[in-house]
């Protein structure tokens, strides 16, 4: 059985992702309004991912030194500050300050990525895939709540479009801060804090670790790039904001709803098979986006994009847990999240530029070589299996 702590972490993850989806729904459009050039429309999202990427390694070592409770508390306080600054920046139409606010929000999101690892630590050792799946499955709440909050908040403050989104975001982070204070999170073990971790050179000799890092980073990067470009592509084809928000909502449902059974699928078919299936679904998204730009083309393709991400991300996270010992935990988890969100950052940076330069269809086709590279890395790991179980 998964205890109350894992369920609490799942709720924290749900609130984090709700804020994430709220940001995805409005940030590119705000950038479109405030940026001095259309090519910079996705810069706030890119800076958000830069903040996320930059905090990943420090966050992992902060958790090791201070424990999960203090680490998550600090992360949520950063989120409160970021939401407050975003509210002020949008109210005053200040693009630079808005970019700074998304940097802080990205840092808060980066700290929150450790929820899934905290769930692993607070679950029985034989329930790792289910713990990851529950925490990720909580994103279904976000899929319903996030886009609807964005629609509701669009004109909450009539004088400034989307301003209400950041008032809602402030409330989400404030509530999550209180939630973390009451959860009984485990402290780091003596071996984690005082053991001698292996070098990265030694760790990276494991094909399973290479496969987990590669598939996780590419899967997240591809998903982020296509998802970030979607509001711009739909806007360019004349769709109103409500239609875009609905497509994003179903995309997020695709990202998180399968989590309720992804863990069982991993136990039945194996981790690498699920990752490969996820990559095939990402390819299917790319191919569907070549066939048209109707509402239903966007809707179905983004749904497949979400499910493909779910299989690659949960599969890669599960595979990662087989590659480190307690003393290695901070190094491996930090490296993994750094690479995963480097992929996401690159995707968000390129989304607006490639959408303007190449258009929707070519942007999607450019994803194919990366997806194939992830599939090859996973295939190699099955040919040369080598993993070190955590103690």
């Amino acid at each position: 059985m998964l205890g109350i702590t894992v369920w609490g972490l799942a709720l924290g993850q749900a609130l984090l992702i709700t804020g994430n989806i709220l940001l995805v729904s409005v940030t590119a459009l705000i950038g479109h309004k405030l940026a001095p050039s259309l090519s910079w429309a996705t810069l706030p999202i890119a800076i958000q991912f830069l903040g996320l990427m930059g905090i990943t390694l420090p966050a992992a070592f902060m958790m090791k030194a201070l424990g999960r409770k203090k680490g998550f508390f600090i992360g949520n306080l950063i989120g409160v500050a970021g939401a407050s600054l975003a509210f002020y920046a949008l109210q005053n139409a200040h693009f630079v300050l808005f970019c700074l606010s998304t940097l802080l929000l990205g840092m808060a999101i980066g700290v929150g990525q450790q929820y899934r690892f905290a769930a692993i630590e607070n679950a029985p050792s034989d329930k790792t895939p289910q713990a990851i799946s529950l925490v990720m499955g909580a994103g279904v709440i976000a899929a319903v709540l996030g886009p609807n909050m964005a629609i509701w908040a669009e004109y909450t403050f009539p004088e400034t479009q989307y301003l209400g989104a950041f008032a809602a975001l402030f409330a989400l982070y404030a509530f999550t801060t209180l939630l973390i204070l009451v959860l009984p999170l485990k402290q780091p073990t003596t071996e984690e804090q005082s053991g001698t971790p292996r070098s990265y050179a030694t760790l990276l000799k494991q094909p399973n670790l290479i496969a987990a890092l590669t598939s996780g980073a590419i899967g997240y990067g591809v998903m982020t790039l296509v998802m970030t470009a979607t509001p711009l592509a739909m806007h360019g084809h004349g769709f109103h904001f409500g239609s875009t928000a609905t497509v994003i909502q179903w995309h997020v449902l695709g990202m998180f709803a399968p989590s309720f059974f992804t863990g069982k699928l991993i136990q039945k078919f194996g981790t690498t098979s699920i990752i490969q299936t996820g990559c095939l679904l990402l390819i299917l998204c790319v191919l569907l986006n070549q066939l048209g730009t109707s509402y239903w083309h966007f809707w179905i393709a983004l749904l497949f994009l979400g499910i493909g991400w779910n299989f690659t991300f949960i599969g890669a996270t599960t595979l990662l847990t087989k590659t480190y010992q307690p003393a290695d935990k901070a190094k491996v988890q930090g490296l993994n999240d750094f690479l995963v969100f480097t992929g996401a950052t690159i995707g968000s940076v390129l989304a607006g530029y490639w959408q303007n330069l190449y258009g929707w269809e070519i942007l999607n086709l450019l994803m194919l070589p990366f997806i194939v590279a992830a599939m090859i890395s996973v295939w190699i790991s099955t040919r040369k299996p080598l993993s070190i179980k955590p103690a």
Side-chain angles (χ1 to χ4, degrees):
M1 291 290 292
L2 298 174
I4 188 172
T5 300
V6 177
W7 284 93
L9 289 166
L11 176 58
Q13 179 83 352
L15 296 175
L16 175 79
I17 298 170
T18 298
N20 243 357
I21 300 309
L22 188 63
L23 284 171
V24 167
S25 299
V26 303
T27 302
L29 298 173
I30 293 171
H32 189 274
K33 285 177 56 179
L34 300 183
S37 164
L38 289 181
S39 295
W40 297 103
T42 59
L43 180 62
I45 294 180
I47 290 178
Q48 174 187 320
F49 279 105
L50 282 172
L52 198 166
M53 178 185 71
I55 201 67
T56 48
L57 279 168
F61 286 101
M62 177 177 68
M63 298 290 178
K64 178 180 178 178
L66 302 178
R68 298 291 187 190
K69 183 181 286 288
K70 291 180 180 178
F72 288 137
F73 179 74
I74 292 170
N76 280 292
L77 288 183
I78 295 172
V80 168
S84 301
L85 182 59
F87 187 95
Y88 175 84
L90 183 56
Q91 194 173 38
N92 292 276
H94 200 299
F95 184 67
V96 174
L97 283 182
F98 185 70
C99 289
L100 179 59
S101 75
T102 62
L103 176 69
L104 293 174
L105 291 168
M107 292 171 65
I109 293 166
V111 175
Q113 296 304 319
Q114 294 278 323
Y115 282 131
R116 70 193 195 280
F117 294 128
I120 294 169
E121 296 164 6
N122 286 274
S125 59
D126 61 337
K127 299 290 185 181
T128 293
Q130 288 93 328
I132 298 170
S133 291
L134 176 63
V135 171
M136 300 308 297
V140 171
I141 298 172
V144 175
L145 193 57
N148 282 308
M149 286 183 73
I151 295 171
W152 165 81
E154 184 177 4
Y155 290 109
T156 303
F157 296 85
E159 70 280 2
T160 307
Q161 190 178 19
Y162 308 125
L163 187 60
F166 297 99
L169 194 61
F170 177 92
L172 288 174
Y173 274 111
F175 180 83
T176 309
T177 303
L178 298 176
L179 173 66
I180 290 301
L181 288 175
V182 301
L183 280 182
L185 301 177
K186 287 184 178 180
Q187 289 294 313
T189 65
T190 302
E191 188 174 357
E192 287 177 49
Q193 291 190 313
S194 59
T196 303
R198 290 168 291 167
S199 67
Y200 282 120
T202 300
L203 290 166
L204 291 171
K205 289 179 181 177
Q206 301 175 87
N208 276 350
L209 180 55
I210 297 296
L213 296 174
T214 304
S215 58
I218 290 177
Y220 217 123
V222 168
M223 186 279 294
T224 301
L225 194 150
V226 176
M227 177 183 68
T228 303
T230 296
L232 298 175
M234 292 187 70
H235 180 76
H237 285 90
F239 292 97
H240 59 77
F241 178 69
S243 295
T244 301
T246 301
V247 167
I248 294 296
Q249 180 178 39
W250 280 95
H251 164 66
V252 178
L253 279 172
M255 288 174 66
F256 298 108
S259 299
F260 294 112
F261 54 82
T262 304
K264 293 181 179 178
L265 291 176
I266 287 172
Q267 287 187 322
K268 183 173 182 178
F269 297 107
T271 307
T272 54
S273 295
I274 296 304
I275 296 173
Q276 297 287 43
T277 302
C279 289
L280 290 174
L281 288 167
L282 295 177
I283 291 174
L284 185 56
C285 165
V286 169
L287 296 179
L288 283 170
N289 282 329
Q290 306 309 304
L291 300 179
T293 54
S294 72
Y295 173 82
W296 291 108
H297 284 97
F298 283 111
W299 187 92
I300 296 171
L302 266 289
L303 182 64
F304 280 123
L305 180 71
I307 299 171
W309 173 85
N310 179 278
F311 283 9
T312 56
F313 188 69
I314 293 181
T317 301
T318 303
L319 187 60
L320 190 79
T321 65
K322 302 176 182 178
T323 65
Y324 56 78
Q325 297 169 343
D328 305 319
K329 183 185 295 184
K331 290 185 73 171
V332 173
Q333 291 179 356
L335 176 65
N336 175 75
D337 280 3
F338 176 77
L339 293 176
V340 164
F341 296 111
T342 295
T345 301
I346 292 171
S348 64
V349 169
L350 292 176
Y353 179 69
W354 280 5
Q355 175 63 26
N356 286 322
L357 184 63
Y358 299 119
W360 178 242
E361 290 81 6
I362 299 300
L363 177 146
N364 275 268
L365 285 176
L366 290 171
M367 300 300 99
L368 289 177
F370 299 101
I371 301 169
V372 171
M375 296 181 76
I376 291 172
S377 74
V378 174
W379 177 78
I380 291 173
S381 76
T382 64
R383 304 288 292 179
K384 298 179 180 180
L386 175 61
S387 64
I388 300 177
K389 299 282 186 180

